[in-house]
Amino acid sequence: MPDPTPPAHPELVTLKIDGRTCQVPKGTNVLEAARTLGTSISYFCYHPGLSSPAVCRQCLVEVKGQPKLAPSCYTPVAEGMDVLTESEKVVTARAQMLEFTLVNHPVDCPICDKAGECTLQKMYQEWDGSPSRVDTGKVHKPKVVDLGPEIVLDAERCILCTRCIRVCDEVAKEHQLEMAYRGDREQLTVAPGKRLDNPYSLNTVDVCPVGALTSKDFRFAMRAWELYTTPSVCAGCATGCNDEVHHARGKIYRLVPRENEAVNKFWMCDEGRFTYKEIDTARVAAPRIGGETSSMDKALAFAAERLAGVPRELLGVVLNAQATNEDNYFLAKVAKALGITHVYLAGRPPKPERADDVLRSADVNPNTAGARVIANALFGAGKAKGTQQLNADIAGGSVRGLWILGDHVALDDEALAALAKLDVVYQSPHDNFLSDKVSVLLPAASWAEVHGTFTNAKGLVQRVRAAVEPPGEARPHYELVALIAKRLGVDVSVGAGALTAKALFAEMKGAVPEFASASFGREALPIQLRFAASRG
Amino acid sequence: MAETRKMTLGIQDVEDLAPDDDPMPTEPMTLNMGPSHPAMHGTVRIILTVEGETVKDADVQVGYLHRCFEKEAEHATYTQVFPYTDRLNYVSPMLNNVGYALAVEKLLGVAERVPERAQYIRVIVGELSRIADHLTCMSAGAMELGAMTIYFWGIKAREWIWELLEELSGARMTHSYVRVGGLAYDLTPDFIPKVKALFPKIFAVLKDIQDSLWENRIFRDRMDGTGVITQEKALSYGWTGPCLRSTGIDYDVRKAHPYLVYDRFDFDVPVGSKGDNFDRYIVRMDEARQSIRILEQAFAQIPEGPVCLDDPRIILPPKQAVYNSIEGMISHFKIIVDGVKIPPGEVYSYTEGGNGELGWYIVSDGTGRPYKCRVRPPCFIITNALREMIVNRPIADIVPTFDMMNMIGGECDR
């Protein structure tokens, strides 16, 4: 029986791939059209986020009526096209291309950082599998080439796909890499007078299908297949690039971008990738009272006692753009129940010099938008005050007690000096210039250790997931808030069950209109990379 | 002067022991049998309600040897599951190895391509394991009825077999000898002559056991007519293997659905007639003899040749290629780290294990590890009927009935 004829549509092209009919928008290439049917075609040089040079010849397919095989990444769909992706001719061509690609490839897997997430390994195992027929030596090229501050090149491993050149040209918009020489001597180099130092340079490592470009930070640090991956969101700035946290045995080894067409496409900036390093820097793992380490119980009792001792009209809470929506919402809710009227919004000061029109934003807080809408919804629009007002209020004595969500609050010297005279409860993952000025310091979990949501600059509510356990006695902000609030006699029940980020989110959906249509997202248990099939 | 005591040898007439008109009043008593009871093999607990010597109710509790085999398998590559299968029926690990490999190969669609020599070797090690399994069951069964000597004889013969399997695989019990697509190694050069030399010795042991027990009054009294199960009941419980065959049903996977090269051998399926413990004993005894028949034919037919598939995506390349070519290196790396990739799908594959139909239900999601790896453990299904078989029978019947089911903790509890 012939396939039923689909309705004609001017913008859609109908074609057949392996005998199955599909309809795709005009201008789509055959490789992407096949993907809509769940058929994956092997490729090295193509990348959905980059232009197609069709240099690797790995994606060849048979188009009926054409004498030669066609590169599917470079062939736009045409009406009535009949494509075969796994005919004998195509499969042979794939195996032969792999044999050719492997002729000069070094036997480096045991010392190569890409091993386990390497596209070349994957393609060979999937489409070739035949032993080597070459009995001459391999062409040698430079092994440890310093290309820039973050990247090392091994030219022997390079399969000349040019993805890295295109990432620099098309994403970072800087021409820093080039091919030099010809034939089997061809190799990747930096462009004359340039270094690979653009702020998106580590994307070249992600797109490299082999271990030619390696990150100095991750080089020889961990075998990729032993890592576990947890999907999360970068906390480095207000863009909220989607990322994967790669970790093993409670330690984070790297952050890599995760595809999201609406936010970061396939990319992420170098600075964002290194935000994981802050997590373990100057970390607070135990509570402190007046600078002295204390037990959690004692610290909580002390915190509640100090806050209770301040008249409510002189008490203030500081929400933070570094903390999740759930943390901010819960503190705001408790503050409202206590009748507190001084509400401030804090965060890291903006860095205008880092902003560009690619991904990097001047606002280096992940949740400025979220903290603001929560404060507006609970206390009225514009009622929450900024850090400037906070400085003035502390120095001027209009607040006598503060309950602060950490970590960063931009206080000036005058306010800092005055702070020591106030009753201050400070919840923070990190030690900083505030920690010895406050009455009580409570250890909070960082963004990599909690479940919750961040709202990015565009207003998208995105999910962060706990990848590792918090150190020592550190726990999520909202738990600390609940423990203190209970001692202050505030009803902290959220929903019917236990106090979780999910329950807080569900309540917040009703209380804050901006969250009404947002969803908390699914739970994602960490998967070991060797089984995740997401890379390589 | 001390009083002379009169002693009588032997028991008195049964009539003398008959209860008088006013029997001692009894009431139900709860007794805990196992898990630390020598006849419960350390892994089963039965809470008995007894009235006098009669079991009125029994709560059979298995699971003391649960090791999360199925969950564990989901976190291992297909090859890494082999050591876990060794620990299912740990008396005949080779049969588990073979059954698991066949299931994975069926899912992979390469079952027919496995070289003939490998198929013959799988039959050989499997049948050796079956003899070891039956010897264990028979000798332990006799021992628990008091015949210690039988135990030593049977275990001695089992050890001869295990020594040979150790020579072959490097491990006495946990062989892990089979691989997806073939075997870890070929037979050792003098393996076949060594096994052949064992046959007369094993036959002699079997004859000794038979001669000592078949006419033995104590043994027959405790085995004949105890633990009886009807054909219908056995089928309704889902029994398979020697226990089912003791009722007279001749279902043997090797005959009914031949796998490997079993259709090339001439062997009989022994069946019982009454479905009691003694039937189960003689079925096992005869099956051991039939296994030797199969082995003799296998030795006559086994061809030369490779013992592994010729497929670099399934079988590790030779070390020469691994260290000297990128092609070999990648194959080795991917098979070790990612595992053998199996196309998405599900499979049920079944073989004749020591206790019956050893079934494997494996689901693949296309990665190198099973998405689900379920075992149909034959003795778990057989143990389901234990309660019904011991209720309203004397306590003493529990021991031979439980023995002849051959409940193996590793397999039952997984």
Side-chain angles (χ1 to χ4, degrees):
Chain A
M1 204 179 96
D3 288 331
T5 317
H9 191 289
E11 296 300 315
L12 291 178
V13 176
T14 309
L15 74 159
K16 261 186 172 176
I17 296 176
D18 293 333
R20 291 160 69 199
T21 306
C22 76
Q23 267 192 323
V24 290
K26 216 171 164 179
T28 313
N29 62 43
V30 173
L31 196 152
E32 289 293 343
R35 219 198 285 252
T36 63
L37 291 173
T39 308
S40 70
I41 297 175
S42 70
Y43 59 83
F44 288 119
C45 74
Y46 175 73
H47 191 287
L50 300 172
S51 59
S52 307
V55 294
C56 75
R57 316 311 279 181
Q58 192 60 46
C59 68
L60 296 176
V61 292
E62 194 175 342
V63 181
K64 279 196 187 155
Q66 291 185 11
K68 283 174 73 182
L69 297 179
S72 59
C73 73
Y74 200 64
T75 310
V77 291
E79 191 65 38
M81 205 180 222
D82 195 348
V83 181
L84 294 175
T85 70
E86 287 191 25
S87 69
E88 209 186 319
K89 213 169 149 189
V90 172
V91 171
T92 312
R94 268 178 207 174
Q96 286 174 343
M97 272 323 295
L98 281 162
E99 184 175 12
F100 181 54
T101 305
L102 285 168
V103 165
N104 281 320
H105 200 82
V107 191
D108 270 1
C109 303
I111 53 155
C112 177
D113 271 313
K114 204 75 169 195
E117 50 174 7
C118 169
T119 313
L120 182 56
Q121 282 185 330
K122 187 180 171 185
M123 291 304 159
Y124 171 78
Q125 191 69 2
E126 222 163 293
W127 295 109
D128 188 0
S130 50
S132 170
R133 291 188 289 171
V134 180
D135 54 3
T136 53
K138 300 199 178 225
V139 172
H140 290 291
K141 292 176 190 172
K143 285 290 277 183
V144 189
V145 187
D146 189 53
L147 290 189
E150 312 295 353
I151 314 274
V152 174
L153 165 71
D154 184 319
E156 282 190 338
R157 293 180 193 157
C158 176
I159 61 163
L160 311 171
C161 72
T162 71
R163 270 183 179 183
C164 50
I165 301 178
R166 281 173 284 143
V167 165
C168 293
D169 288 353
E170 296 166 22
V171 178
K173 311 243 171 13
E174 291 190 54
H175 184 70
Q176 293 177 331
L177 293 174
E178 279 185 354
M179 284 296 169
Y181 307 104
R182 299 177 64 185
D184 61 4
R185 314 268 155 191
E186 185 173 356
Q187 57 173 280
L188 181 73
T189 63
V190 285
K194 296 279 180 61
R195 294 190 81 207
L196 179 53
D197 56 2
N198 66 65
Y200 298 92
S201 70
L202 280 167
N203 288 307
T204 61
V205 176
D206 288 329
V207 299
C208 184
V210 289
L213 293 169
T214 46
S215 151
K216 282 183 188 171
D217 182 49
F218 185 65
R219 202 169 148 81
F220 305 137
M222 187 64 179
R223 301 309 326 231
W225 65 87
E226 294 198 359
L227 290 170
Y228 287 79
T229 167
T230 301
S232 192
V233 168
C234 176
C237 77
T239 305
C241 293
N242 291 211
D243 65 9
E244 284 179 19
V245 181
H246 287 175
H247 54 97
R249 292 182 281 278
K251 185 171 176 320
I252 299 175
Y253 285 88
R254 62 176 177 186
L255 305 181
V256 295
R258 183 162 55 96
E259 183 187 345
N260 187 340
E261 194 56 35
V263 183
N264 56 318
K265 299 197 169 65
F266 306 89
W267 322 116
M268 192 171 169
C269 75
D270 294 357
E271 206 181 325
R273 286 171 199 260
F274 294 139
T275 49
Y276 80 90
K277 295 194 170 200
E278 289 170 14
I279 291 172
D280 285 335
T281 323
R283 196 61 201 266
V284 183
R288 282 180 228 162
I289 298 177
E292 298 293 325
T293 304
S294 129
S295 75
M296 189 55 110
D297 267 351
K298 210 171 150 190
L300 290 167
F302 186 75
E305 189 189 310
R306 298 301 287 263
L307 290 175
V310 180
R312 291 287 151 88
E313 64 277 12
L314 292 177
L315 196 57
V317 293
V318 180
L319 306 182
N320 201 307
Q322 289 281 317
T324 64
N325 284 320
E326 290 71 18
D327 298 334
N328 280 309
Y329 168 74
F330 197 44
L331 181 59
K333 182 189 164 190
V334 168
K336 204 176 170 191
L338 284 169
I340 294 172
T341 49
H342 292 290
V343 181
Y344 304 91
L345 281 180
R348 294 184 186 187
K351 290 184 189 165
E353 72 279 5
R354 78 186 286 281
D356 61 21
D357 54 0
V358 187
L359 293 174
R360 290 148 62 89
S361 146
D363 178 1
V364 288
N365 299 295
N367 200 24
T368 312
R372 183 167 301 123
V373 295
I374 289 167
N376 286 349
L378 268 72
F379 295 96
K383 284 280 155 51
K385 296 173 268 188
T387 29
Q388 221 171 356
Q389 190 62 44
L390 176 64
N391 277 317
D393 286 357
I394 294 172
S398 40
V399 288
R400 288 225 342 251
L402 280 174
W403 189 349
I404 307 177
L405 281 193
D407 57 356
H408 203 99
V409 181
L411 294 184
D412 56 25
D413 293 345
E414 201 184 342
L416 262 184
L419 197 69
K421 293 183 214 102
L422 269 55
D423 292 317
V424 182
V425 176
Y426 180 49
Q427 304 181 183
S428 171
H430 298 114
D431 230 344
N432 56 27
F433 61 96
L434 275 179
S435 37
D436 55 350
K437 302 277 193 302
V438 299
S439 324
V440 192
L441 172 63
L442 294 169
S446 76
W447 57 268
E449 296 147 5
V450 295
H451 292 286
T453 56
F454 284 145
T455 306
N456 77 354
K458 286 182 184 167
L460 266 180
V461 179
Q462 303 194 99
R463 175 76 190 273
V464 288
R465 293 180 178 84
V468 291
E469 289 288 313
E473 288 185 272
R475 53 182 76 192
H477 278 304
Y478 65 80
E479 281 186 22
L480 295 171
V481 170
L483 290 167
I484 298 172
K486 227 182 265 174
R487 286 168 167 81
L488 290 172
V490 181
D491 174 26
V492 292
S493 58
V494 173
L499 177 69
T500 59
K502 198 175 179 178
L504 278 167
F505 186 85
E507 194 185 284
M508 192 162 64
K509 274 180 79 138
V512 184
E514 281 81 355
F515 290 95
S517 62
S519 95
F520 193 59
R522 281 197 296 176
E523 298 305 320
L525 285 175
I527 307 176
Q528 208 167 9
L529 273 191
R530 60 199 274 213
F531 299 124
S534 61
R535 294 172 69 78
Chain B
M1 194 178 154
E3 196 182 331
T4 309
R5 191 176 295 179
K6 186 182 165 195
M7 294 184 76
T8 313
L9 288 174
I11 62 164
Q12 302 163 53
D13 277 348
V14 177
E15 288 73 30
D16 296 345
L17 295 173
D20 49 27
D21 295 339
D22 184 21
M24 260 204 292
T26 61
E27 58 182 64
M29 182 169 87
T30 304
L31 252 184
N32 196 17
M33 193 160 178
S36 291
H37 183 286
M40 292 294 110
H41 305 185
T43 56
V44 171
R45 178 193 194 201
I46 309 179
I47 298 174
L48 298 167
T49 307
V50 292
E51 257 177 38
E53 275 293 309
T54 310
V55 177
K56 282 293 170 198
D57 196 8
D59 180 7
V60 182
Q61 299 175 352
V62 297
Y64 284 90
L65 209 56
H66 182 55
R67 316 173 299 289
C68 309
F69 163 79
E70 289 170 12
K71 198 71 201 166
E72 205 68 70
E74 290 166 22
H75 293 265
T77 65
Y78 284 96
T79 314
Q80 286 171 336
V81 174
F82 278 105
Y84 296 138
T85 66
D86 285 336
R87 286 144 179 89
L88 289 171
N89 185 341
Y90 38 72
V91 190
S92 50
M94 287 292 191
L95 288 166
N96 309 325
N97 278 192
V98 172
Y100 171 73
L102 287 174
V104 178
E105 285 159 10
K106 191 171 171 184
L107 189 53
L108 200 53
V110 298
E112 283 74 38
R113 282 166 46 211
V114 175
E116 263 198 6
R117 184 173 175 83
Q119 302 206 26
Y120 273 96
I121 296 176
R122 287 177 178 187
V123 168
I124 291 167
V125 294
E127 291 309 317
L128 281 172
S129 265
R130 191 185 316 280
I131 299 171
D133 197 296
H134 288 347
L135 278 171
T136 312
C137 178
M138 289 189 292
S139 32
M143 173 197 60
E144 278 160 22
L145 302 183
M148 197 71 193
T149 314
I150 307 298
Y151 182 73
F152 291 138
W153 289 347
I155 294 305
K156 172 182 70 181
R158 183 182 77 172
E159 209 55 39
W160 296 332
I161 294 170
W162 280 0
E163 271 169 15
L164 284 178
L165 293 179
E166 182 177 7
E167 177 182 318
L168 190 59
S169 66
R172 176 172 162 270
M173 285 174 85
T174 49
H175 310 304
S176 296
Y177 173 65
V178 184
R179 294 285 183 277
V180 175
L183 303 164
Y185 330 93
D186 200 345
L187 294 178
T188 48
D190 48 357
F191 183 79
I192 293 178
K194 276 182 178 170
V195 177
K196 279 183 178 163
L198 268 190
F199 291 158
K201 291 162 80 181
I202 295 176
F203 273 127
V205 167
L206 292 175
K207 185 170 184 302
D208 282 348
I209 295 178
Q210 181 168 343
D211 290 352
S212 317
L213 298 178
W214 265 222
E215 307 294 326
N216 183 312
R217 177 69 193 277
I218 301 170
F219 184 76
R220 291 300 292 262
D221 277 357
R222 294 194 65 183
M223 297 295 255
D224 276 350
T226 60
V228 180
I229 190 159
T230 62
Q231 286 190 355
E232 294 73 35
K233 269 272 177 249
L235 281 176
S236 73
Y237 272 107
W239 277 28
T240 49
C243 293
L244 175 68
R245 293 192 283 271
S246 73
T247 66
I249 296 172
D250 64 346
Y251 176 70
D252 184 319
V253 183
R254 293 172 297 171
K255 273 274 190 226
H257 308 282
Y259 53 95
L260 293 172
V261 286
Y262 276 111
D263 50 352
R264 302 185 195 175
F265 304 123
D266 180 24
F267 66 99
D268 297 324
V269 178
V271 293
S273 54
K274 299 199 192 76
D276 64 359
N277 286 330
F278 189 68
D279 270 359
R280 292 196 264 283
Y281 203 95
I282 51 175
V283 163
R284 286 200 169 85
M285 173 77 75
D286 282 353
E287 269 189 28
R289 295 197 174 105
Q290 293 298 328
S291 289
I292 293 179
R293 248 179 100 185
I294 294 173
L295 284 171
E296 279 168 342
Q297 296 171 58
F299 290 152
Q301 295 176 16
I302 185 168
E304 288 299 318
V307 294
C308 280
L309 265 175
D310 180 24
D311 190 335
R313 284 167 212 170
I314 301 171
I315 299 295
L316 289 175
K319 286 289 173 286
Q320 169 79 16
V322 174
Y323 294 131
N324 294 292
S325 75
I326 182 66
E327 287 83 358
M329 168 59 72
I330 292 178
S331 281
H332 178 94
F333 186 97
K334 289 303 256 188
I335 292 175
I336 295 292
V337 172
D338 289 2
V340 179
K341 292 260 168 79
I342 312 273
E346 58 175 9
V347 73
Y348 179 70
S349 165
Y350 46 106
T351 54
E352 184 70 22
N355 285 326
E357 180 173 322
L358 176 67
W360 297 86
Y361 172 67
I362 299 178
V363 181
S364 168
D365 56 357
T367 62
R369 59 178 178 176
Y371 178 79
K372 173 76 193 166
C373 179
R374 153 89 185 148
V375 191
R376 179 202 187 273
C379 71
F380 173 72
I381 286 141
I382 292 167
T383 310
N384 279 332
L386 181 59
R387 182 192 168 275
E388 196 172 320
M389 290 161 75
I390 57 177
V391 165
N392 291 325
R393 303 285 308 174
I395 294 176
D397 280 7
I398 296 175
V399 176
T401 306
F402 184 70
D403 272 335
M404 285 302 108
M405 282 181 165
N406 197 25
M407 204 264 354
I408 303 282
E411 178 180 273
C412 178
D413 299 349
R414 284 155 291 141

